[in-house]
Amino acid sequence: MLYLAEVQKQRSGFGLGGGKAELKLLACQRGEHNWSAVPGDDAIPVEEANKFNDGTLVLVELSASKQVQRIQEAARQLVSILQNFSRLQDKFKDKEEEIEQWKASLTFSSQELNRREMEMQAREEQLAQMEDELERLEAQRSEIENTRDEANRLREEVDRSRVEIETAWEQLRGEQQRVAQQQSQVPQGAVVDRQQTERIQELMQKLGGAIASAQGVREQLNQSFGAVGAQQAILDQHWQQLEQKRSIAQQQQEEVDRQNQSLQNRWQEWYQSQDALAGARADLKGQQSTLSAKQDQAQSVSLQVRAIEDLYQQLSRLASASGPGGTQQKVDVSSLEKMPVEELQALVQHLQHDLEKVFRFVNDQEEELTLQKETIEELQRKIQAASEYDRMALENEMADELESYQMLNETLVGQRLRLQEREDVLKQHQAVLWRRLGTANAPKQGGDMELGPIVAQLNTQRQQQSQELQRLENEIQQLRETISQIEANVNRQNGEGEAKRYELKQFEQNLFNQKGAVAELWGRVKVYQEMLQPVQDNLNALRQKLEAVAGELDRVQERGDEQDRVVSDLQQVLSGLITA
């Protein structure tokens, strides 16, 4: 099982090599991303922990019997865990924003559905009104059809009356001729017999009945004209409503055309503002590229400054330790003088073995630091040649590598100091041992190399690099201020553009709805006209038929008047004949 532990050391009385290292278990891994704290202050003695400094956090894998299977420094793993945790937080934030966007979208969709539902209800009401109007028109059409049937019936009656009148007239004319013949044949003073008289009176009554029937047809014809006039009055009202609707539709069409032209002009202005925004974004992108290049350069100079600073500190400590009054690690020399030579030799071998292990560890860390530096330099080259899409991922990877490099470099500073201290302790122990053995290989206490000029040169180079770094940081700060202003301007323009775009979309949607309403109104006008026109045509045809019947009836009436006069004359003649 994997544990997070802290290295704890207990120092012995002889230097640094005789300390006892223990691991204090802090947390235990329960899953891939699940850690739980270890209760209590459990400490496990581990020999492998001697190569780590006191207080170092390590990851140790223990068996069920608390035996160490693997141990390594936890700095990089902790950084990776924290980075993963940060990425998970970013993902959660993105998901929350996405959820909020979905909520807003669903709210808008719900409002849009409600609006569409209200429009559908309004259109259903309009359709119901149109159906009512259609029913009324159908009723009027049915009345007109009935009136037309009545007119046809009247026409038939007029034709029948005319035939009857003509028939009676022909019979009467024939009787008149017979009477004239009889008058010419009979002697003077002869009279018409009773049978002839009754026949002539019957014919005159029949002719009078036909004339009276024509008068009844006139009355029915006048009633039909009245019904046609009433239907025309109703149709005139509908035609007036149709003209009103056509006028309203024309006005709304003109307003829609005007708003459509205004919408096109406003879209043109918006596109021009977007072109200006694209220019500002291009300027921002150029400034950001310059800032990225400056930051890369500053990072490189910062790495150089840190490396020179570390080297300067190490050489300064070496110069201080090797010079007069140096602060070497204190060793109880008197105890070493009293210690048996065999025990002293064993202690020196132990210190030398411990120093070799620490040296190998520090050397491995130095190699890893060199590899990380090469990786950072390679990433810098990739960033300079990368596209805008790949730059972001490379910059994130660059930030992770820099953070890891800094942590490893800071760890190595202590490790180098620790190695130097152990080397000093070993040299002091060796000096006592060689002096007691009387060997000629005793090392000189003074340094073989003058470090002062090197330290001074490093100090000068450190100052120059620090000034260069300061200059780059000032330029970066100025660029950031400029970018901040451009970003504020771009954000403002983008916000105004989005608000304008949303406003135009709303205006466009409203205009689309108005166009639909106008098209629907034009459709209603067309349907209304298509419904009225056949009724009007039928009514006009009926009126023409009635007028034709009225003309025919007038002609019949004229004949009837003439026949009435003839009948009157015949009655006088017949009366004279009967009287005679």
Side-chain angles (χ1 to χ4, degrees), residues 49-104:
N50 287 319
K51 61 182 180 181
F52 299 102
N53 291 332
D54 188 21
T56 303
L57 293 177
V58 296
L59 289 174
V60 58
E61 188 173 351
L62 301 178
S63 64
S65 59
K66 300 296 183 180
Q67 297 295 321
V68 177
Q69 296 179 343
R70 181 171 58 89
I71 185 171
Q72 60 180 354
E73 192 173 358
R76 298 193 66 181
Q77 284 75 9
L78 288 177
V79 170
S80 178
I81 291 172
L82 292 175
Q83 289 174 348
N84 291 333
F85 180 73
S86 178
R87 293 191 185 98
L88 287 176
Q89 282 188 328
D90 293 338
K91 288 182 180 179
F92 289 150
K93 290 181 180 178
D94 293 339
K95 290 296 182 183
E96 289 178 355
E97 293 177 357
E98 186 177 353
I99 290 172
E100 292 297 329
Q101 292 176 357
W102 275 105
K103 287 182 179 179

Side-chain angles (χ1 to χ4, degrees), residues 362-426:
V362 173
N363 190 43
D364 293 338
Q365 296 289 79
E366 291 283 0
E367 291 179 356
E368 185 175 357
L369 186 66
T370 302
L371 292 175
Q372 287 189 350
K373 185 177 180 181
E374 293 176 354
T375 302
I376 291 172
E377 293 175 352
E378 179 66 23
L379 285 174
Q380 288 177 348
R381 289 191 293 270
K382 289 182 179 180
I383 289 174
Q384 293 176 358
S387 62
E388 185 66 23
Y389 178 78
D390 297 331
R391 182 185 294 274
M392 185 176 296
L394 291 174
E395 286 179 350
N396 292 333
E397 186 177 355
M398 178 78 169
D400 295 340
E401 291 294 335
L402 282 174
E403 187 175 1
S404 178
Y405 178 85
Q406 292 173 6
M407 293 186 63
L408 183 58
N409 190 32
E410 291 173 0
T411 304
L412 271 176
V413 172
Q415 296 289 350
R416 295 188 190 104
L417 181 59
R418 184 73 171 175
L419 179 62
Q420 183 63 40
E421 290 176 351
R422 294 194 178 190
E423 188 176 0
D424 293 340
V425 171
L426 178 60

Side-chain angles (χ1 to χ4, degrees), residues 6 12 36 103 108 121 132 141 157 198 245 252 296 389 432 463 494 506 523 562 575:
E6 179 185 2
S12 63
S36 60
K103 287 182 179 179
F108 178 78
Q121 291 178 356
D132 293 339
R141 180 182 293 177
E157 290 182 1
E198 291 178 355
K245 291 181 179 180
Q252 292 184 1
D296 294 341
Y389 178 78
V432 175
Q463 293 176 358
N494 186 57
Q506 291 294 323
E562 182 179 357
S575 297

Side-chain angles (χ1 to χ4, degrees), residues 208-431:
I211 295 173
S213 176
Q215 292 295 330
V217 172
R218 169 71 68 178
E219 293 177 359
Q220 294 181 359
L221 183 62
N222 292 333
Q223 292 177 0
S224 298
F225 271 116
V228 169
Q231 294 295 328
Q232 185 62 52
I234 296 174
L235 277 179
D236 290 338
Q237 293 179 358
H238 286 290
W239 282 114
Q240 185 178 3
Q241 293 177 1
L242 176 62
E243 290 301 323
Q244 292 177 354
K245 291 181 179 180
R246 181 181 284 109
S247 177
I248 294 173
Q250 185 64 35
Q251 293 176 359
Q252 292 184 1
Q253 183 66 49
E254 293 175 356
E255 179 65 19
V256 165
D257 293 339
R258 185 187 63 79
Q259 292 185 4
N260 187 55
Q261 184 62 38
S262 175
L263 177 64
Q264 292 179 359
N265 295 334
R266 293 175 67 181
W267 271 119
Q268 185 66 29
E269 294 176 358
W270 184 81
Y271 286 128
Q272 292 176 356
S273 66
Q274 291 302 301
D275 292 338
L277 178 60
R281 284 175 174 168
D283 186 17
L284 176 62
K285 183 177 179 181
Q287 295 290 342
Q288 288 175 342
S289 299
T290 304
L291 175 62
S292 178
K294 291 289 184 182
Q295 287 176 338
D296 294 341
Q297 186 179 358
Q299 288 175 355
S300 179
V301 174
S302 177
L303 291 176
Q304 295 176 7
V305 169
R306 290 176 183 174
I308 293 174
E309 180 68 27
D310 294 340
L311 185 57
Y312 174 77
Q313 295 294 337
Q314 293 177 13
L315 290 178
S316 296
R317 286 194 295 269
L318 288 175
S320 299
S322 61
T327 57
Q328 294 183 349
Q329 179 69 31
K330 299 297 182 181
V331 177
D332 191 357
V333 180
S334 60
S335 298
L336 297 179
E337 293 289 349
K338 297 177 182 179
M339 185 181 296
V341 176
E342 292 80 6
E343 186 176 348
L344 181 58
Q345 286 179 337
L347 181 57
V348 168
Q349 291 178 357
H350 177 75
L351 290 175
Q352 190 171 5
H353 179 67
D354 185 63
L355 179 63
E356 290 175 354
K357 290 195 298 183
V358 175
F359 177 78
R360 287 194 299 269
F361 176 76
V362 173
N363 190 43
D364 293 338
Q365 296 289 79
E366 291 283 0
E367 291 179 356
E368 185 175 357
L369 186 66
T370 302
L371 292 175
Q372 287 189 350
K373 185 177 180 181
E374 293 176 354
T375 302
I376 291 172
E377 293 175 352
E378 179 66 23
L379 285 174
Q380 288 177 348
R381 289 191 293 270
K382 289 182 179 180
I383 289 174
Q384 293 176 358
S387 62
E388 185 66 23
Y389 178 78
D390 297 331
R391 182 185 294 274
M392 185 176 296
L394 291 174
E395 286 179 350
N396 292 333
E397 186 177 355
M398 178 78 169
D400 295 340
E401 291 294 335
L402 282 174
E403 187 175 1
S404 178
Y405 178 85
Q406 292 173 6
M407 293 186 63
L408 183 58
N409 190 32
E410 291 173 0
T411 304
L412 271 176
V413 172
Q415 296 289 350
R416 295 188 190 104
L417 181 59
R418 184 73 171 175
L419 179 62
Q420 183 63 40
E421 290 176 351
R422 294 194 178 190
E423 188 176 0
D424 293 340
V425 171
L426 178 60
K427 287 180 179 179
Q428 294 180 51
H429 282 71
Q430 286 177 340

Side-chain angles (χ1 to χ4, degrees), residues 421-489:
E421 290 176 351
R422 294 194 178 190
E423 188 176 0
D424 293 340
V425 171
L426 178 60
K427 287 180 179 179
Q428 294 180 51
H429 282 71
Q430 286 177 340
V432 175
L433 177 60
W434 288 333
R435 186 172 60 252
R436 291 183 61 182
L437 293 175
T439 179
N441 293 329
K444 297 180 181 180
Q445 296 297 322
D448 295 335
M449 184 177 181
E450 183 63 32
L451 299 177
I454 300 177
V455 173
Q457 183 178 0
L458 281 175
N459 188 29
T460 302
Q461 187 176 359
R462 182 188 63 170
Q463 293 176 358
Q464 291 176 353
Q465 293 292 332
S466 297
Q467 292 174 0
E468 177 67 16
L469 181 61
Q470 184 63 35
R471 182 185 66 80
L472 288 173
E473 288 178 350
N474 292 335
E475 293 180 358
I476 289 173
Q477 183 63 29
Q478 293 177 358
L479 281 173
R480 284 176 177 170
E481 293 175 357
T482 303
I483 289 174
S484 178
Q485 294 176 359
I486 297 177
E487 281 182 344
N489 186 28

